[in-house]
Amino acid sequence: MKRNDFTLYLDNGEILKEIPAPIRELYTDDRSKVISVNDNSHSADLFMYYCGISSCREGYSWGPAVREHFLLHYILEGEGILKVGGKEYRLVKNQGFLLCPNELSHYEAGITNPWKYAWVGFHGLNARSYLELAGLSKQNPVFTFTRGELLKNCLLDMVKSFEEYRYGATLRLQALLYMLFSELIENSREDIINNKNVYSKNHYIRKSIEFIQNNYMRDISISQLASHIGLNRSYLSSLFKQFLNTSPRKYLSQYRINKACELLKDSSFSIVEVAGLSGYRDPVVFQKFFKNVMGISPNKYRKKFI
């Protein structure tokens, strides 16, 4: 379904002017819906290019490529990987990421639990300033949202605006874009104000994930992780449960299995080598755990891709 353009007629029936619809449904299927905004004339301060929602297939990826505007993704379900600025981030539900103009980036859905996300593309004279107020930048592209369903509802309302508004859709989307920024800014400010030790809870989660990403191939323990970021193990576990809905140990194990899945697609690595590179010293333990998580052995998984 596409929104019809508006046509102005003369008294004799001749077409005077055809006016493009302010918003259009660019694409829709059982997994994705993309809405394009054709009229950005209402505000140079901050304006939207498009918005959408997608339930990605296993391993679906975009890039490496660049865009000419800002693009914000927010994860509604599942998990995936973002690679940008020479860093890799493994992200899950209630986290999001910012892609900045002219910055090379790559992101892909998880293999065992691919993400579903909503997104919005935007720009404007003050877009960068608003992002900075929300604690987002090229140097800090990832966030965790802790204010319930507010951000999710805002993004979903953007997509629904196409069906629910005909004449005021553009202004509706403009209002929702400002609402989205107000939620992001509030989320960022609350996190700073509520932190008694300067470092935010988001900071601890980010540092934990960074430690796992840099050391998963080594024989690390959760106690070492907690010690590295300066928390006791119990409090660290409570933060993982609060923000990621899992335990540090399960997150580490899942990260290792995801890495193993990537390595198994390369036939130059033996199963023993894949086990070691994924952080498992005992190949037998690796194969048993892999089958328990994936439902098939590493060898059978490899045969699906090679």
Side-chain angles (χ1 to χ4, degrees):
M1 180 179 70
K2 290 187 177 181
R3 183 65 51 84
N4 293 330
D5 295 339
F6 298 97
T7 305
L8 299 179
Y9 296 91
L10 296 172
D11 292 340
N12 61 7
E14 293 182 7
I15 295 176
L16 174 63
K17 185 178 183 181
E18 290 187 352
I19 305 173
I23 64 173
R24 283 183 178 276
E25 186 176 78
L26 286 184
Y27 180 80
T28 185
D29 60 17
D30 60 336
R31 286 183 173 270
S32 300
K33 187 171 185 177
V34 183
I35 307 301
S36 173
V37 180
N38 298 325
D39 181 7
N40 293 317
S41 62
H42 294 286
S43 176
D45 173 69
L46 181 69
F47 54 84
M48 184 187 303
Y49 283 118
Y50 53 80
C51 61
I53 184 171
S54 287
S55 296
C56 297
R57 298 183 186 279
E58 296 86 347
Y60 167 82
S61 65
W62 185 91
V66 299
R67 300 180 186 271
E68 296 181 349
H69 52 268
F70 293 102
L71 181 61
L72 187 85
H73 286 72
Y74 183 61
I75 304 166
L76 308 177
E77 299 173 12
E79 62 180 23
I81 297 172
L82 167 68
K83 298 178 181 179
V84 64
K87 295 182 178 180
E88 179 177 306
Y89 305 88
R90 185 166 297 275
L91 306 174
V92 297
K93 179 181 178 180
N94 294 332
Q95 289 188 294
F97 58 93
L98 171 72
L99 303 179
C100 294
N102 304 314
E103 182 178 28
L104 187 67
S105 62
H106 170 86
Y107 51 94
E108 60 187 74
I111 297 174
T112 58
N113 186 22
W115 54 19
K116 174 181 180 181
Y117 50 51
W119 74 88
V120 57
F122 58 91
H123 217 310
L125 296 176
N126 285 318
R128 195 178 300 274
S129 297
Y130 294 150
L131 286 166
E132 289 176 356
L133 287 174
L136 294 170
S137 64
K138 184 176 180 179
Q139 292 72 32
N140 185 40
V142 171
F143 67 94
T144 300
F145 192 74
T146 60
R147 289 169 51 79
E149 303 286 289
L150 295 170
L151 194 65
K152 171 185 174 180
N153 293 338
C154 187
L155 286 160
L156 295 182
D157 283 346
M158 288 180 182
V159 179
K160 290 190 295 184
S161 293
F162 174 79
E163 298 172 349
E164 298 178 354
Y165 290 80
R166 177 172 175 79
Y167 303 106
T170 304
L171 289 175
R172 170 71 174 175
L173 289 171
Q174 189 75 24
L176 288 169
L177 184 58
Y178 278 108
M179 288 177 61
L180 179 138
F181 269 93
S182 72
E183 292 299 336
L184 289 172
I185 292 169
E186 195 72 12
N187 183 70
S188 175
R189 297 300 95 183
E190 279 186 356
D191 199 37
I192 293 173
I193 293 172
N194 293 334
N195 192 319
K196 297 180 180 179
N197 298 315
V198 180
Y199 292 109
S200 68
K201 293 179 179 179
N202 279 345
H203 173 83
Y204 290 128
I205 292 295
R206 287 196 299 270
K207 294 298 289 184
S208 297
I209 292 174
E210 182 179 303
F211 181 82
I212 289 173
Q213 291 174 343
N214 292 333
N215 297 278
Y216 68 91
M217 73 295 294
R218 300 185 176 91
D219 186 20
I220 58 174
S221 66
I222 303 306
S223 295
Q224 287 176 310
L225 169 60
S227 176
H228 174 76
I229 63 173
L231 296 177
N232 66 57
R233 181 169 175 168
S234 177
Y235 183 60
L236 175 63
S237 295
S238 70
L239 288 182
F240 265 74
K241 184 65 176 177
Q242 178 183 352
F243 289 100
L244 304 180
N245 197 31
T246 189
S247 68
R249 183 170 298 281
K250 287 182 179 179
Y251 185 94
L252 172 60
S253 297
Q254 187 63 60
Y255 191 87
R256 284 171 165 167
I257 290 298
N258 289 341
K259 282 295 180 182
C261 288
E262 295 175 13
L263 293 168
L264 286 168
K265 296 177 183 179
D266 187 341
S267 59
S268 64
F269 295 112
S270 68
I271 299 300
V272 173
E273 288 173 326
V274 170
L277 291 170
S278 303
Y280 294 91
R281 297 292 172 265
D282 187 336
V284 176
V285 172
F286 163 68
Q287 293 187 64
K288 288 182 178 179
F289 189 75
F290 187 95
K291 186 174 183 180
N292 183 53
V293 174
M294 300 299 295
I296 58 175
S297 68
N299 271 319
K300 289 184 177 179
Y301 181 87
R302 165 168 279 174
K303 289 178 181 178
K304 292 170 59 178
F305 299 94
I306 298 176

